[in-house]
Amino acid sequence: LVLGYKTPSRKSKASYALDIIKYYLGYGQSSKLFEEIREKHGLVYEIGAYYEASINYGFFAIYLSTDKQNIKKVTQIILKELNNLQNITKKELQQTKEQIEGHFLLKTEDKHFLADLLTYYIELNKSKIDYIKQIKSINLKDIKKISKKYLNNNYTLTILKQKWGENMKK
């Protein structure tokens, strides 16, 4: 299952708030969706959030694997957690920013990643990489406003179901 949204490009300040939301909701085993849907309810094996902020477009997606009988409940929990972004605390926001900064610093040790990043910023017409500065500039009001504007009930839901063939055992 993939639940997705159209979002702004990297040229928008909103893209940095969406990066924070991606980490908070769906990056790793300490993320909100992992804890709520896998640990608490046991409805999925894998779950995460993905955010692509390109130069001309953006999209935000939550992906997971589950049994078809869980789809409705999982979707309801995801939408509830998206609505709960209105209640994110200062402490949660700060912890997420620190996680992003640490992850970013580790990734920039990879020369290939750094080369790609420099090229990307040149394409954005920026003279320097100010990613962490932009992340640090996001506040609670930004998170609440951006999540309400982009991560609402106007989503696309894609469900891939396995079809059993004649030669496959059920």
Side-chain angles (χ1 to χ4, degrees):
L1 177 147
V2 179
L3 188 144
Y5 297 91
K6 182 179 177 185
T7 57
S9 73
R10 183 57 78 193
K11 295 174 187 175
S12 169
K13 181 180 177 180
S15 70
Y16 298 97
L18 288 160
D19 275 335
I20 292 170
I21 293 168
K22 173 193 80 171
Y23 270 82
Y24 175 75
L25 284 178
Y27 189 81
Q29 294 182 355
S30 63
S31 70
K32 199 68 165 168
L33 291 173
F34 188 92
E35 287 178 0
E36 186 66 23
I37 298 175
R38 180 174 172 183
E39 297 296 318
K40 188 175 176 183
H41 294 284
L43 296 171
V44 302
Y45 179 73
E46 175 188 22
I47 187 165
Y50 183 81
Y51 176 54
E52 175 74 29
S54 190
I55 293 168
N56 298 315
Y57 67 89
F59 70 89
F60 187 96
I62 296 168
Y63 60 89
L64 59 94
S65 298
T66 191
D67 191 273
K68 64 183 175 182
Q69 68 190 19
N70 298 332
I71 290 172
K72 184 177 180 181
K73 180 154 178 88
V74 167
T75 303
Q76 289 171 341
I77 295 170
I78 290 169
L79 294 174
K80 178 183 164 218
E81 289 304 321
L82 290 170
N83 286 328
N84 284 343
L85 288 168
Q86 298 303 308
N87 303 320
I88 189 172
T89 66
K90 225 176 202 175
K91 182 180 178 183
E92 290 170 322
L93 177 59
Q94 186 57 39
Q95 288 173 333
T96 305
K97 287 179 179 183
E98 289 169 4
Q99 180 186 22
I100 291 170
E101 186 173 3
H103 187 246
F104 184 79
L105 291 173
L106 285 174
K107 285 189 343 185
T108 57
E109 291 180 6
D110 179 324
K111 292 176 182 135
H112 296 288
F113 173 81
L114 192 54
D116 287 344
L117 188 64
L118 290 168
T119 302
Y120 182 69
Y121 271 80
I122 289 169
E123 289 179 21
L124 283 171
N125 291 321
K126 294 194 176 220
S127 59
K128 62 179 181 176
I129 299 171
D130 64 349
Y131 181 75
I132 297 302
K133 181 180 176 184
Q134 293 293 331
I135 290 293
K136 286 181 177 182
S137 75
I138 301 298
N139 59 41
L140 284 174
K141 187 177 177 182
D142 296 327
I143 296 292
K144 293 173 183 183
K145 178 183 169 189
I146 301 312
S147 64
K148 191 173 191 175
K149 181 175 182 177
Y150 294 105
L151 307 178
N152 49 44
N153 288 328
N154 189 20
Y155 58 86
T156 298
L157 183 65
T158 302
I159 301 168
L160 301 176
K161 294 182 182 180
Q162 183 176 18
K163 183 175 180 180
W164 292 96
E166 290 179 9
N167 297 330
M168 298 180 81
K169 295 180 181 179
K170 290 188 178 182

